[in-house]
Amino acid sequence: MADIPSLVRDLVVANRILAREAVVDAYGHVSVRHPDNPQRFLMATSMAPEMVEPEHIVEFNLDCTPVRDDGRPLYHERFIHGGIFEARPDVQAVVHAHSEDVLPFTIVPVPLRPVIHSGSFMGATVPVWDMADRFGENTNLLVTGMEAARDLARCLGNDNVALMRGHGFSAAARSLIEVVRMSVYVPRNARVLMNALRLSPDVKALHAGEIATRDAGYKPYSLETRRAWRYWAHKAGCAHLVPDHPVDHAHKPWGSD
Amino acid sequence: MADIPSLVRDLVVANRILAREAVVDAYGHVSVRHPDNPQRFLMATSMAPEMVEPEHIVEFNLDCTPVRDDGRPLYHERFIHGGIFEARPDVQAVVHAHSEDVLPFTIVPVPLRPVIHSGSFMGATVPVWDMADRFGENTNLLVTGMEAARDLARCLGNDNVALMRGHGFSAAARSLIEVVRMSVYVPRNARVLMNALRLSPDVKALHAGEIATRDAGYKPYSLETRRAWRYWAHKAGCAHLVPDHPVDHAHKPWGSD
Amino acid sequence: MADIPSLVRDLVVANRILAREAVVDAYGHVSVRHPDNPQRFLMATSMAPEMVEPEHIVEFNLDCTPVRDDGRPLYHERFIHGGIFEARPDVQAVVHAHSEDVLPFTIVPVPLRPVIHSGSFMGATVPVWDMADRFGENTNLLVTGMEAARDLARCLGNDNVALMRGHGFSAAARSLIEVVRMSVYVPRNARVLMNALRLSPDVKALHAGEIATRDAGYKPYSLETRRAWRYWAHKAGCAHLVPDHPVDHAHKPWGSD
Amino acid sequence: MADIPSLVRDLVVANRILAREAVVDAYGHVSVRHPDNPQRFLMATSMAPEMVEPEHIVEFNLDCTPVRDDGRPLYHERFIHGGIFEARPDVQAVVHAHSEDVLPFTIVPVPLRPVIHSGSFMGATVPVWDMADRFGENTNLLVTGMEAARDLARCLGNDNVALMRGHGFSAAARSLIEVVRMSVYVPRNARVLMNALRLSPDVKALHAGEIATRDAGYKPYSLETRRAWRYWAHKAGCAHLVPDHPVDHAHKPWGSD
């Protein structure tokens, strides 16, 4: 059995990091699949991520109903998470956010693509989902049910990040720490690309082989990754929630790979 | 009768949030119409918004004379508020600010328009008021009397936000919380639009139906909105001024709609 | 006789505000003319402005020798201040800074000009001084003697701000508070102008009459100005150095005009 | 013999300054050559620079093996430092960082060049190293061995800064304090140049003679430089690690030149 209290604590840290790094503000959310039951995932009740505490974390079924409904309000867009977990058994964690510097790429015909090494994890292609394509021009742009969520998941396909027109992005990864890292570096990559394109139309993106090599070499529980997690937690004021000798949620000690 | 102390407290929180979110600096102000007497409104005396306390809130008539003049200095541009409250019975709260990232749109022939979902509340059109059009090229650009204020209110018409050339913006809304939210997201929408236009002239703005749908669905005292208010107050260091079970100023408990 | 301890305290506050508002960093300085002896001025010894305390303020002759040389190190570029005080009897205070967002305008043939009301005090024209024009292409770009300082002052002429190619700006004003205010808003105006020019070449600058009207109406010790000073001091952590009932250094109570 | 504890303390301060000034984040590192043994250098173990303490500093041989291997994890890219120290006997300190605002210049055919006086120390030319030129398009972009490090050092040649395509920069200098200063001002110069190029293609860079004159006049232990170091340490919360009367590591009291 997985160590759920430790996973809940990591999810709290993820919320705080995303807030401190300005990936989310009052809105946006992060979830993690239940390690013992892939038909469930964990996420906070409706809360600004910076204010999430362990007691706010609840368990959801993949259709986004809470396993135990205690009447607390839930994120209207929790369906984004259910839709992606349902479609992608390989995905262990999801972030949805409205990061300001990603938004320009959701409304222009210029693709977001990785141009810096820390951005490689978004993958070579980043599709843009325009809710109007299927649901028309009179929506409120929010993903508040499984039908829209499944359409978004279809657009994401096997990629790691889908942009959402005029709204934000959703990111999917193999671990909580990886999805947080991607969510921090995708906006940075977006800023670098915007600045580069203002200097010249002739921008060198990462080579496909570089993206693939970095992807193959990524270990979410490596010491290098742990270094970033610990630092971000320190900046977010919750270093005390990061144990000195953490275990990963596949039961390996951190730093062992 | 309305709960005026609680409204005053909310107005203090609004001042602090606007300062913390860099919508205002030493200048700029926020007001709310008196819930029991639509011929009056509440606003601070002349103060940097970050430093406003409950004892600084005073009551004004719509002509911007203070109901009880105790000699404290008043904002020179308080007339903006009186002018809008006079012209627009539907408006319950007004912000005037000089937000840096909105200013470029006040001096170029490129319209500010909503391109992100959180910017939808500015409405489909955002007029630009150029004081010189009616008052000539020798003003100090400030709205320091009812004549200029009424001209600005005419320009605003039934819209939610009017830009003011070389000066800033004025926003009008159905509640204090809505006008604060709009004031935070209008500059963000401006930044996203500026960045998008640098990438491509072919920018997808929100569809008219999306703006209308979001507007129809907006509930200023919903749990979603309360989440943002609480978060911003937390960031601004005044979470203690936000009660756990607030009432709206139309006498409904928050979160009941 | 002027109240010198109170002027010294104001100069300390000016240093701290300029640091907090990112006008200066480790470098940059602010000075004020001696109110009783126009042949002298006050400025800190060589220090990062954020760390200036009253005991660091010393008195200089207009040739930038210290009135009492106690061996403490002095700013190499103090001559900028002496040169401007010498050439401009109307000037009471000077700032020299390297503000990042002003720098682009020092190296391109696009003039900095006031486009927002808070930027009006820079005046209608802002000359650019290129040290190489007179001193050749082998200088270290610093103004470390009276000859260069006098050349800079000639370029400034009767204007309020001179840009310095690849280096920064120098601002001159009728009071300490006015020069600080100008130094905060000149970079903001520069950012707005840069952003506007990226949207359209067709930018509406302030009208000459607006600049003149605002200049004529400016009162450095008005309540409106005091509001900003107090707010900036609060942000800079030195509100305790701002008295409730300050006097101006022309012996009028603040807020009396 | 050099005062190693004091050098270690300075290296800790350098780490903290680089973090506070956003030159590094969880990644990036700074090293200093051993003053008594030029075949060795000092650097932290694998840590976010903001969290480095004296006990994390270890001694390395130029091939980047630790002199005493106690099993603590080491930076994967420590070879950058060894490669530069090996090729450049004049270099006393090295920084490697991923500064966001330098990155655009690593992926476009527009050269980074000094345009502001504080940027002069990067030198007249800043080469760009593209790892793919020699190592192909399937690397992970990291310099994790001496072969890549030596290739980077060759590209650096006798310059002070080499950009690394899609990755960051490496800077080399005659002292710890100089390399920190360069690392703070290179990103600032990059921002100013980006902003200038958006205003006009006709940008005035520093003249070769200005760069040379400033370089000739630079004294890493001058009072002017000490002023910046002390200020940055103050901002980074480690002013207590900066002694009032520091010695340089060539055994001269600070401020004596």
Side-chain angles (χ1 to χ4, degrees):
Chain A
M1 298 289 289
D3 176 355
I4 298 301
S6 123
L7 183 60
V8 164
R9 190 197 57 217
D10 285 359
L11 188 52
V12 169
V13 172
N15 272 278
R16 306 280 187 84
I17 289 174
L18 292 170
R20 177 63 178 77
E21 300 298 318
V23 176
V24 298
D25 57 2
Y27 303 102
H29 14 79
V30 52
S31 65
V32 66
R33 196 189 290 268
H34 196 296
D36 295 330
N37 182 348
Q39 300 303 309
R40 293 187 177 171
F41 67 95
L42 304 175
M43 187 163 60
T45 56
S46 180
M47 285 253 128
E50 184 169 304
M51 303 174 80
V52 168
E53 301 283 353
E55 62 266 28
H56 300 129
I57 303 297
V58 297
E59 218 174 306
F60 292 91
N61 298 302
L62 289 196
D63 66 0
C64 299
T65 53
V67 172
R68 283 168 294 279
D69 189 352
D70 58 10
R72 284 187 289 178
L74 306 174
Y75 292 129
H76 287 335
E77 293 202 291
R78 63 190 181 278
F79 301 93
I80 292 170
H81 303 257
I84 294 174
F85 284 125
E86 181 187 81
R88 289 276 299 274
D90 61 312
V91 164
Q92 301 304 318
V94 172
V95 163
H96 169 65
H98 307 155
S99 309
E100 188 176 310
D101 294 319
V102 171
L103 286 165
F105 289 97
T106 75
I107 57 175
V108 295
V110 175
L112 180 61
R113 49 188 169 150
V115 293
I116 58 174
H117 78 314
S118 54
S120 69
F121 302 105
M122 74 175 80
T125 59
V126 180
V128 181
W129 181 70
D130 187 338
M131 195 168 186
D133 289 345
R134 175 149 175 175
F135 299 96
E137 299 188 357
N138 296 306
T139 72
N140 67 359
L141 285 165
L142 301 179
V143 177
T144 56
M146 285 305 286
E147 189 187 355
R150 285 173 181 141
D151 194 56
L152 170 60
R154 251 189 306 276
C155 173
L156 177 65
N158 286 312
D159 291 320
N160 299 330
V161 178
L163 304 187
M164 302 160 76
R165 193 262 303 162
H167 180 170
F169 74 84
S170 295
R174 294 161 291 181
S175 74
L176 190 54
I177 199 166
E178 185 179 353
V179 84
V180 167
R181 183 186 163 108
M182 208 188 300
S183 300
V184 171
Y185 285 127
V186 164
R188 171 176 290 193
N189 187 99
R191 286 189 294 273
V192 171
L193 179 53
M194 286 195 286
N195 278 324
L197 285 168
R198 289 169 199 157
L199 287 169
S200 165
D202 185 15
V203 170
K204 281 191 190 179
L206 294 194
H207 295 292
E210 289 165 345
I211 297 169
T213 301
R214 288 181 61 77
D215 186 59
Y218 184 72
K219 297 165 186 162
Y221 300 101
S222 73
L223 285 162
E224 290 301 300
T225 299
R226 181 176 164 190
R227 191 210 306 176
W229 183 260
R230 188 176 288 280
Y231 169 63
W232 285 324
H234 171 74
K235 279 177 70 185
C238 59
H240 60 288
L241 297 178
V242 179
D244 281 341
H245 302 287
V247 292
D248 74 18
H249 302 295
H251 314 286
K252 292 180 296 184
W254 277 47
S256 67
D257 56 5
Chain B
M1 298 289 289
D3 177 354
I4 298 301
S6 123
L7 183 61
V8 164
R9 191 197 56 218
D10 284 359
L11 188 52
V12 169
V13 172
N15 273 277
R16 306 280 186 84
I17 289 174
L18 292 171
R20 178 63 178 76
E21 300 298 318
V23 176
V24 298
D25 57 2
Y27 304 102
H29 12 80
V30 51
S31 65
V32 66
R33 196 189 288 269
H34 195 295
D36 296 330
N37 183 348
Q39 301 303 308
R40 293 187 178 171
F41 67 95
L42 304 174
M43 187 163 59
T45 55
S46 179
M47 285 251 127
E50 184 169 303
M51 303 174 78
V52 168
E53 300 282 352
E55 62 266 28
H56 301 128
I57 304 297
V58 297
E59 218 174 306
F60 291 91
N61 299 302
L62 289 196
D63 66 0
C64 299
T65 53
V67 172
R68 282 168 296 278
D69 188 351
D70 58 10
R72 284 187 288 178
L74 306 174
Y75 291 129
H76 287 334
E77 293 202 291
R78 62 190 181 277
F79 301 94
I80 291 171
H81 302 258
I84 293 174
F85 284 126
E86 182 187 82
R88 288 277 299 275
D90 60 312
V91 164
Q92 301 304 317
V94 172
V95 162
H96 169 66
H98 308 154
S99 309
E100 189 175 308
D101 294 319
V102 171
L103 286 164
F105 289 98
T106 75
I107 57 175
V108 294
V110 176
L112 180 62
R113 50 190 168 145
V115 294
I116 57 174
H117 79 312
S118 55
S120 70
F121 303 105
M122 74 175 79
T125 58
V126 179
V128 181
W129 182 70
D130 186 338
M131 196 169 186
D133 288 345
R134 176 152 175 172
F135 299 96
E137 299 188 357
N138 297 305
T139 71
N140 66 0
L141 286 165
L142 302 179
V143 177
T144 55
M146 285 306 285
E147 189 186 356
R150 285 173 181 139
D151 194 56
L152 169 61
R154 252 190 304 275
C155 173
L156 177 65
N158 287 311
D159 290 321
N160 300 329
V161 178
L163 303 188
M164 302 160 76
R165 193 262 304 161
H167 180 171
F169 74 85
S170 295
R174 293 161 292 181
S175 74
L176 190 55
I177 199 166
E178 185 179 353
V179 85
V180 167
R181 182 186 163 107
M182 208 188 301
S183 300
V184 171
Y185 286 128
V186 164
R188 171 177 290 194
N189 187 100
R191 285 189 292 273
V192 172
L193 179 53
M194 286 195 286
N195 278 325
L197 285 168
R198 289 169 199 156
L199 287 170
S200 166
D202 184 15
V203 170
K204 281 193 190 178
L206 294 194
H207 295 292
E210 289 166 345
I211 296 170
T213 300
R214 288 180 60 78
D215 185 61
Y218 184 72
K219 298 165 184 162
Y221 300 101
S222 72
L223 286 162
E224 291 299 302
T225 299
R226 181 178 165 188
R227 189 208 310 175
W229 182 260
R230 188 176 288 280
Y231 169 64
W232 285 324
H234 171 75
K235 279 177 71 184
C238 59
H240 60 288
L241 297 178
V242 179
D244 281 341
H245 301 287
V247 292
D248 74 19
H249 301 295
H251 314 287
K252 291 180 296 185
W254 277 47
S256 67
D257 57 5
Chain C
M1 299 289 288
D3 176 355
I4 298 301
S6 123
L7 182 60
V8 164
R9 191 197 55 219
D10 285 359
L11 188 53
V12 169
V13 172
N15 272 278
R16 306 280 187 86
I17 290 174
L18 292 171
R20 178 63 179 75
E21 301 298 319
V23 177
V24 297
D25 56 2
Y27 303 102
H29 13 79
V30 50
S31 66
V32 65
R33 195 189 288 271
H34 196 294
D36 296 330
N37 182 347
Q39 300 303 308
R40 292 185 178 173
F41 67 95
L42 304 174
M43 187 163 60
T45 54
S46 180
M47 285 252 127
E50 185 169 303
M51 303 175 79
V52 168
E53 301 282 352
E55 61 266 28
H56 301 129
I57 304 296
V58 297
E59 219 174 305
F60 291 91
N61 299 302
L62 290 195
D63 65 0
C64 298
T65 53
V67 172
R68 283 170 294 278
D69 188 351
D70 58 9
R72 285 186 288 178
L74 306 174
Y75 291 129
H76 287 335
E77 293 202 292
R78 63 190 181 278
F79 300 94
I80 291 171
H81 302 258
I84 294 174
F85 284 126
E86 181 187 83
R88 288 278 298 275
D90 61 312
V91 164
Q92 300 305 316
V94 172
V95 162
H96 169 66
H98 308 155
S99 310
E100 187 175 310
D101 294 319
V102 171
L103 286 165
F105 288 98
T106 75
I107 57 175
V108 294
V110 175
L112 180 62
R113 49 189 169 148
V115 294
I116 57 174
H117 78 315
S118 55
S120 70
F121 302 106
M122 74 175 79
T125 57
V126 180
V128 181
W129 181 69
D130 187 338
M131 195 168 185
D133 289 346
R134 177 151 173 172
F135 299 97
E137 299 187 357
N138 296 305
T139 71
N140 66 0
L141 285 166
L142 302 179
V143 177
T144 55
M146 286 305 285
E147 189 186 356
R150 284 172 182 141
D151 194 56
L152 170 62
R154 252 190 305 275
C155 173
L156 177 65
N158 286 311
D159 290 321
N160 300 330
V161 178
L163 303 188
M164 302 159 77
R165 193 262 303 162
H167 180 170
F169 74 84
S170 295
R174 293 161 293 181
S175 74
L176 190 54
I177 199 166
E178 185 179 353
V179 85
V180 167
R181 183 187 163 105
M182 207 189 302
S183 300
V184 171
Y185 285 129
V186 164
R188 170 176 290 194
N189 187 100
R191 285 189 293 273
V192 172
L193 179 53
M194 285 194 287
N195 278 325
L197 285 167
R198 289 168 199 158
L199 287 170
S200 166
D202 184 16
V203 171
K204 282 192 188 180
L206 294 193
H207 295 292
E210 290 165 345
I211 296 169
T213 300
R214 288 180 60 78
D215 185 60
Y218 184 70
K219 297 164 184 162
Y221 299 101
S222 72
L223 285 162
E224 290 300 301
T225 299
R226 181 177 163 187
R227 190 209 308 175
W229 182 259
R230 187 176 289 280
Y231 169 64
W232 285 323
H234 171 74
K235 279 176 71 186
C238 58
H240 60 287
L241 296 179
V242 179
D244 281 341
H245 300 287
V247 293
D248 74 19
H249 301 294
H251 314 286
K252 292 180 295 185
W254 276 46
S256 68
D257 56 5
Chain D
M1 298 290 288
D3 176 355
I4 298 300
S6 123
L7 183 61
V8 164
R9 190 198 56 219
D10 284 359
L11 188 53
V12 169
V13 172
N15 273 278
R16 306 281 186 86
I17 289 174
L18 292 171
R20 178 64 179 77
E21 300 298 318
V23 177
V24 297
D25 56 3
Y27 304 101
H29 13 80
V30 51
S31 65
V32 65
R33 195 189 289 270
H34 196 296
D36 296 330
N37 182 348
Q39 301 303 308
R40 292 187 178 171
F41 67 95
L42 304 175
M43 188 163 60
T45 55
S46 180
M47 283 253 127
E50 184 169 303
M51 303 174 79
V52 168
E53 301 282 352
E55 62 266 28
H56 301 129
I57 304 297
V58 297
E59 219 174 305
F60 291 91
N61 299 303
L62 289 196
D63 65 0
C64 299
T65 53
V67 172
R68 282 169 294 279
D69 189 350
D70 58 9
R72 285 186 289 177
L74 306 174
Y75 291 129
H76 287 335
E77 294 203 290
R78 61 190 183 278
F79 300 94
I80 292 171
H81 301 258
I84 294 174
F85 284 127
E86 181 187 82
R88 288 277 298 275
D90 60 312
V91 164
Q92 300 304 317
V94 172
V95 163
H96 170 66
H98 307 155
S99 309
E100 188 175 309
D101 294 320
V102 171
L103 286 165
F105 289 98
T106 74
I107 56 176
V108 295
V110 176
L112 179 62
R113 48 190 170 147
V115 294
I116 57 175
H117 78 313
S118 55
S120 70
F121 302 106
M122 75 175 80
T125 57
V126 179
V128 182
W129 182 70
D130 187 337
M131 195 167 185
D133 289 345
R134 176 151 173 171
F135 299 96
E137 301 188 355
N138 296 306
T139 71
N140 67 359
L141 286 164
L142 302 179
V143 177
T144 55
M146 286 305 286
E147 188 186 356
R150 284 173 182 139
D151 194 56
L152 170 61
R154 252 189 306 272
C155 173
L156 177 65
N158 287 312
D159 290 321
N160 300 329
V161 178
L163 304 187
M164 301 160 77
R165 193 261 305 161
H167 180 171
F169 73 85
S170 295
R174 293 161 292 182
S175 74
L176 190 55
I177 199 166
E178 186 179 353
V179 84
V180 167
R181 183 186 163 107
M182 208 189 300
S183 300
V184 171
Y185 284 128
V186 164
R188 170 175 291 193
N189 188 101
R191 286 189 293 273
V192 172
L193 179 53
M194 285 194 287
N195 279 325
L197 285 168
R198 289 169 199 156
L199 287 170
S200 165
D202 184 15
V203 170
K204 281 191 190 180
L206 294 194
H207 296 291
E210 290 165 345
I211 296 169
T213 300
R214 288 180 60 78
D215 184 61
Y218 183 70
K219 297 166 187 164
Y221 299 100
S222 73
L223 285 161
E224 291 300 301
T225 299
R226 182 177 163 188
R227 191 210 306 175
W229 182 259
R230 187 177 288 280
Y231 170 64
W232 285 324
H234 171 74
K235 280 176 70 184
C238 59
H240 60 288
L241 297 178
V242 178
D244 281 341
H245 301 286
V247 293
D248 74 19
H249 301 295
H251 313 286
K252 292 181 296 184
W254 277 47
S256 67
D257 55 6

